[in-house]
Short mmCIF file of all heavy atoms in Angstrom, two decimals:
data_model
loop_
_atom_site.label_atom_id
_atom_site.label_comp_id
_atom_site.label_asym_id
_atom_site.label_seq_id
_atom_site.Cartn_x
_atom_site.Cartn_y
_atom_site.Cartn_z
N GLY A 20 11.68 14.23 13.48
CA GLY A 20 12.64 13.40 14.19
C GLY A 20 12.58 11.98 13.68
O GLY A 20 11.68 11.60 12.93
N LYS A 21 13.54 11.18 14.14
CA LYS A 21 13.61 9.78 13.72
C LYS A 21 12.90 8.90 14.74
O LYS A 21 13.07 9.07 15.95
CB LYS A 21 15.07 9.36 13.57
CG LYS A 21 15.27 8.11 12.76
CD LYS A 21 16.74 7.92 12.41
CE LYS A 21 16.90 6.82 11.39
NZ LYS A 21 18.30 6.66 11.02
N ARG A 22 12.08 7.96 14.24
CA ARG A 22 11.37 7.04 15.11
C ARG A 22 12.26 5.85 15.44
O ARG A 22 13.28 5.63 14.81
CB ARG A 22 10.09 6.55 14.41
CG ARG A 22 9.14 7.66 14.04
CD ARG A 22 7.84 7.24 13.42
NE ARG A 22 7.84 5.98 12.71
CZ ARG A 22 6.84 5.57 11.95
NH1 ARG A 22 5.77 6.32 11.80
NH2 ARG A 22 6.89 4.41 11.33
N SER A 23 11.83 5.07 16.42
CA SER A 23 12.61 3.91 16.84
C SER A 23 12.69 2.84 15.74
O SER A 23 13.61 2.02 15.74
CB SER A 23 12.02 3.30 18.12
OG SER A 23 10.69 2.87 17.88
N ASP A 24 11.74 2.85 14.78
CA ASP A 24 11.77 1.86 13.70
C ASP A 24 12.62 2.29 12.51
O ASP A 24 12.67 1.61 11.50
CB ASP A 24 10.35 1.52 13.25
CG ASP A 24 9.58 2.71 12.70
OD1 ASP A 24 10.17 3.81 12.56
OD2 ASP A 24 8.38 2.56 12.43
N GLY A 25 13.29 3.44 12.64
CA GLY A 25 14.17 3.92 11.58
C GLY A 25 13.51 4.89 10.62
O GLY A 25 14.20 5.58 9.87
N TYR A 26 12.18 4.95 10.60
CA TYR A 26 11.48 5.91 9.76
C TYR A 26 11.46 7.27 10.45
O TYR A 26 11.71 7.37 11.65
CB TYR A 26 10.04 5.45 9.49
CG TYR A 26 9.95 4.25 8.57
CD1 TYR A 26 9.83 2.97 9.09
CD2 TYR A 26 9.99 4.41 7.19
CE1 TYR A 26 9.76 1.86 8.25
CE2 TYR A 26 9.91 3.30 6.35
CZ TYR A 26 9.79 2.04 6.89
OH TYR A 26 9.72 0.97 6.06
N HIS A 27 11.14 8.31 9.70
CA HIS A 27 11.08 9.65 10.27
C HIS A 27 9.63 10.05 10.54
O HIS A 27 8.73 9.74 9.76
CB HIS A 27 11.70 10.67 9.31
CG HIS A 27 13.19 10.57 9.25
ND1 HIS A 27 13.84 9.74 8.37
CD2 HIS A 27 14.15 11.16 9.99
CE1 HIS A 27 15.14 9.84 8.55
NE2 HIS A 27 15.36 10.69 9.53
N GLU A 28 9.44 10.75 11.64
CA GLU A 28 8.15 11.36 11.95
C GLU A 28 8.09 12.67 11.17
O GLU A 28 9.02 13.48 11.24
CB GLU A 28 8.04 11.63 13.46
CG GLU A 28 6.66 11.98 13.93
CD GLU A 28 5.71 10.79 13.85
OE1 GLU A 28 6.12 9.65 14.13
OE2 GLU A 28 4.54 11.03 13.51
N VAL A 29 7.04 12.85 10.39
CA VAL A 29 6.94 14.05 9.56
C VAL A 29 5.57 14.69 9.70
O VAL A 29 4.59 14.04 10.08
CB VAL A 29 7.19 13.72 8.06
CG1 VAL A 29 8.60 13.24 7.83
CG2 VAL A 29 6.20 12.72 7.53
N LEU A 66 6.60 -2.39 0.27
CA LEU A 66 5.59 -1.86 1.19
C LEU A 66 4.22 -2.49 0.96
O LEU A 66 3.44 -2.63 1.91
CB LEU A 66 5.51 -0.34 1.08
CG LEU A 66 6.72 0.43 1.60
CD1 LEU A 66 6.53 1.93 1.40
CD2 LEU A 66 6.97 0.11 3.06
N LYS A 69 4.34 -5.65 2.93
CA LYS A 69 4.25 -5.34 4.37
C LYS A 69 2.83 -4.97 4.76
O LYS A 69 2.35 -5.35 5.83
CB LYS A 69 5.22 -4.22 4.73
CG LYS A 69 6.68 -4.64 4.66
CD LYS A 69 7.60 -3.49 5.00
CE LYS A 69 9.05 -3.95 4.92
NZ LYS A 69 9.98 -2.91 5.36
N LEU A 73 0.58 -6.95 7.46
CA LEU A 73 0.07 -6.22 8.62
C LEU A 73 -1.44 -6.37 8.75
O LEU A 73 -1.95 -6.71 9.82
CB LEU A 73 0.43 -4.73 8.50
CG LEU A 73 -0.19 -3.82 9.55
CD1 LEU A 73 0.42 -4.10 10.92
CD2 LEU A 73 0.00 -2.36 9.16
N LEU A 128 -3.96 1.73 11.15
CA LEU A 128 -3.11 0.58 10.86
C LEU A 128 -1.92 0.99 9.98
O LEU A 128 -0.80 0.55 10.22
CB LEU A 128 -3.91 -0.52 10.16
CG LEU A 128 -4.85 -1.34 11.01
CD1 LEU A 128 -5.71 -2.24 10.14
CD2 LEU A 128 -4.08 -2.16 12.02
N ALA A 129 -2.18 1.82 8.98
CA ALA A 129 -1.13 2.22 8.05
C ALA A 129 -0.03 3.02 8.75
O ALA A 129 1.13 2.98 8.33
CB ALA A 129 -1.72 3.04 6.91
N ALA A 130 -0.37 3.71 9.80
CA ALA A 130 0.62 4.49 10.54
C ALA A 130 1.69 3.61 11.17
O ALA A 130 2.78 4.07 11.49
CB ALA A 130 -0.05 5.34 11.61
N GLU A 131 1.39 2.32 11.30
CA GLU A 131 2.38 1.38 11.84
C GLU A 131 3.44 1.10 10.81
O GLU A 131 4.48 0.58 11.08
CB GLU A 131 1.70 0.08 12.25
CG GLU A 131 0.76 0.27 13.40
CD GLU A 131 0.12 -1.05 13.86
OE1 GLU A 131 0.74 -2.11 13.69
OE2 GLU A 131 -0.98 -0.98 14.41
#
Side-chain angles (χ1 to χ4, degrees):
K21 198 167 190 178
R22 301 183 334 190
S23 61
D24 61 6
Y26 290 96
H27 287 89
E28 192 69 37
V29 295
L66 291 178
K69 290 179 180 185
L73 173 69
L128 285 172
E131 294 183 27

